[in-house]
């Protein structure tokens, strides 16, 4: 076969293999876009575990009519313009691939209205060349992304979808993770026409406790110790369970770096080490931790799904996390600052 450039839809479908694993990955990408657009209210409607329909409506900044087809194009983003921007990234997105990927393996429509426009417009991409057609629509300020029949044109992937219940459980989990990181945003989750979650905006301590309880359970909340450390431009905030905590809520293991949910080996290691030394081998850590790091000090462009990071000064970050948690787990020392304990 001679060398040839792949048609756009095929190239996008191949890229989709990396980011669109299942309905929950679509939900994650779309909610992250809504958050990057400054939304304070996000409605998520799911039909049949997301395989049939995913519709996400936000009250974010919206997209200009002239930019709608660009939003669906590959490598098109409003979030970075240079490598410098990428190295100081604070938005959740930057690859400009999610909408192109998702629309290549589903029937995706994007309806949007920025505040500056009187009317809304709707974009739909189809065919091998992914040509975008536009038509006027009715929509309040903000955007709605609707994804129908995920993987309808990629049967090999569709075959890997699990039961409706399982796929929905993954979606529910994605939303819990995001809702934990954004107390300032309201989330409504509807499955097959029924509202199953409603996380209201949490402004004060009481409301924050309510959301934390709704997501992590009363058991976790009643035993969790608050942690809040700042040192040398690093910060760690959140909750870890106290040494005498029972093991039964060990699924509560959430860790964020600059607002992004992470599964990071280095962080896990620091947490485990602190726990092992302070509460013994047999207990499983339970925690919700938000790490803040100068964005210049982390590389988020490690994996297409963006759930891994690389720290420039990994030893420093490791020790910082270890010390922060160790101090929270050691009774009587929780009031000391990091410096005082050294
Ligand atoms: P990325 O998020 O990496 O920029 P995406 O493919 O997810 O790439 O989105 C492409 C672009 O479309 C974004 O950069 C943004 O400008 C726009 N966009 C996507 N979703 C929304 C939304 N809900 N509200 C406003 N703009 C959006
Ligand atoms: Mg995105």
């Amino acid at each position: 076969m001679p060398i040839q450039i792949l048609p756009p839809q095929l190239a996008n479908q191949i890229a989709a293999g990396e980011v669109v694993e299942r309905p929950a990955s679509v939900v994650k990408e779309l909610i992250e876009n809504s958050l990057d657009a400054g939304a304070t209210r996000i409605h998520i409607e799911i039909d049949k575990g997301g395989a049939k329909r995913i519709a996400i409506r936000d009250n974010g900044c919206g997209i200009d009519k002239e930019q709608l087809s660009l939003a669906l194009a590959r490598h098109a983003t409003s979030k970075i313009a240079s490598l410098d921007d990428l190295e100081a990234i604070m938005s959740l997105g930057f690859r400009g691939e999610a909408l192109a990927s998702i629309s290549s393996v589903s029937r995706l429509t994007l309806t949007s209205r920025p505040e500056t426009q009187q009317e809304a417009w709707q974009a739909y991409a189809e065919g091998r060349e992914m040509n975008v057609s536009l038509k006027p629509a009715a929509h309040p300020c903000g955007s709605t992304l609707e994804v129908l029949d995920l993987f309808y044109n990629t049967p090999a992937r569709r075959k890997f979808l699990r039961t409706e219940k399982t796929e929905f459980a993954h979606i529910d989990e994605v939303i819990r993770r995001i809702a934990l990181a954004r107390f300032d945003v309201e989330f409504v989750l509807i499955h097959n026409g029924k509202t199953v979650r409603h996380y209201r905006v949490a402004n004060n301590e009481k409301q924050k406790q309510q959301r934390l309880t709704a997501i992590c359970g009363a058991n976790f909340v009643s035993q969790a110790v608050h942690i809040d450390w700042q040192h040398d431009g690093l910060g760690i905030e959140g909750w870890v369970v106290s040494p005498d905590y029972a093991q039964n809520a060990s699924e509560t293991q959430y860790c964020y770096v600059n607002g992004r949910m992470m599964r990071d080996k280095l962080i896990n290691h620091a947490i485990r080490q602190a726990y092992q030394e302070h509460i013994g081998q047999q207990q499983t850590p339970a925690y919700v931790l938000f790490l803040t790091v100068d964005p210049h000090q982390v590389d988020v462009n490690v994996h297409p799904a963006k759930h891994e990071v690389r720290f420039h000064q990994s030893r420093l970050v490791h020790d910082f996390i270890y010390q922060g948690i160790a101090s929270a787990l050691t009774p009587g020392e929780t009031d000391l600052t990091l410096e005082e304990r050294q």
Side-chain angles (χ1 to χ4, degrees):
M1 217 190 284
I3 298 175
Q4 48 190 320
I5 292 181
L6 300 174
Q9 186 176 28
L10 181 53
N12 289 337
Q13 284 171 334
I14 292 168
E18 293 176 314
V19 279
V20 192
E21 195 191 331
R22 59 185 348 145
S25 7
V26 172
V27 171
K28 172 180 177 285
E29 292 293 336
L30 298 184
I31 297 181
E32 289 189 347
N33 280 344
S34 296
L35 293 171
D36 281 345
T40 55
R41 211 171 51 235
I42 303 177
H43 272 248
I44 304 118
E45 281 180 39
I46 305 295
D47 288 335
K48 300 242 183 307
K52 176 105 198 65
R53 177 172 176 265
I54 296 167
I56 300 199
R57 186 177 84 234
D58 68 48
N59 63 346
C61 64
I63 306 171
D64 287 347
K65 182 193 171 194
E66 292 70 38
Q67 300 242 287
L68 276 180
S69 42
L70 265 182
L72 300 181
R74 183 130 172 254
H75 305 310
T77 178
S78 59
K79 298 168 194 176
I80 58 168
S82 70
L83 194 61
D84 283 352
D85 293 343
L86 179 59
E87 285 168 2
I89 194 86
M90 282 312 271
S91 59
L92 295 165
F94 55 83
R95 299 176 60 93
E97 278 192 326
L99 296 190
S101 298
I102 297 165
S103 65
S104 73
V105 294
S106 70
R107 304 182 218 274
L108 177 145
T109 52
L110 160 55
T111 313
S112 196
R113 186 185 145 202
E115 244 169 28
T116 48
Q117 254 171 231
Q118 287 306 313
E119 66 297 319
W121 286 82
Q122 189 172 76
Y124 179 70
E126 57 187 326
R128 269 166 65 90
E129 299 311 312
M130 304 279 300
N131 292 320
V132 177
S133 56
L134 286 186
K135 60 177 190 195
H139 196 280
C141 287
S143 309
T144 295
L145 273 289
E146 185 181 54
V147 175
L148 298 177
D149 307 324
L150 185 63
F151 302 139
Y152 79 97
N153 55 357
T154 51
R157 303 230 80 188
R158 191 156 180 104
K159 218 175 61 198
F160 279 99
L161 287 179
R162 307 278 301 277
T163 62
E164 176 177 329
K165 196 165 159 239
T166 302
E167 294 302 338
F168 184 73
H170 282 278
I171 292 173
D172 195 23
E173 179 61 19
V174 158
I175 293 166
R176 287 147 62 97
R177 288 175 190 175
I178 297 176
L180 261 183
R182 294 300 300 266
F183 285 86
D184 56 330
V185 177
E186 177 183 358
F187 298 90
V188 180
L189 173 60
I190 295 161
H191 191 208
N192 296 333
K194 206 172 126 222
T195 302
V196 289
R197 306 274 175 230
H198 188 173
Y199 303 121
R200 292 181 173 78
V201 171
N203 289 317
N204 55 38
E205 278 313 308
K206 185 162 172 268
Q207 292 166 336
K208 283 185 187 167
Q209 287 268 327
Q210 281 169 349
R211 185 179 289 197
L212 197 62
T213 307
I215 296 174
C216 300
N219 200 13
F220 177 85
V221 174
S222 67
Q223 317 225 22
V225 182
H226 190 243
I227 156 172
D228 191 358
W229 288 107
Q230 315 289 330
H231 187 67
D232 259 358
L234 290 169
I236 190 166
E237 212 242 295
W239 297 271
V240 290
V241 295
S242 56
D244 44 23
Y245 184 57
Q247 288 148 2
N248 55 6
S250 55
E251 320 85 61
T252 305
Q253 296 185 340
Y254 297 99
C255 181
Y256 304 78
V257 177
N258 293 346
R260 201 186 287 280
M261 173 86 189
M262 286 297 149
R263 273 173 268 155
D264 186 84
K265 284 206 193 76
L266 177 100
I267 299 175
N268 281 349
H269 183 268
I271 296 171
R272 289 205 160 266
Q273 199 179 348
Y275 266 80
Q276 274 176 11
E277 286 171 22
H278 290 262
I279 64 175
Q281 305 274 355
Q282 62 284 45
Q283 277 172 313
T284 329
Y287 51 84
V288 177
L289 292 170
F290 305 95
L291 191 68
T292 43
V293 187
D294 175 352
H296 290 98
Q297 293 293 321
V298 295
D299 183 0
V300 290
N301 190 24
V302 181
H303 185 277
K306 294 172 289 198
H307 44 52
E308 280 171 48
V309 279
R310 224 170 262 142
F311 297 102
H312 294 190
Q313 294 179 285
S314 53
R315 191 71 229 172
L316 201 83
V317 175
H318 178 280
D319 293 353
F320 172 77
I321 297 171
Y322 169 80
Q323 287 181 326
I325 294 174
S327 70
L329 292 178
T330 309
E333 280 195 26
T334 40
D335 299 334
L336 298 180
T337 66
L338 201 55
E339 279 97 323
E340 282 169 324
R341 286 182 299 108
Q342 280 169 348

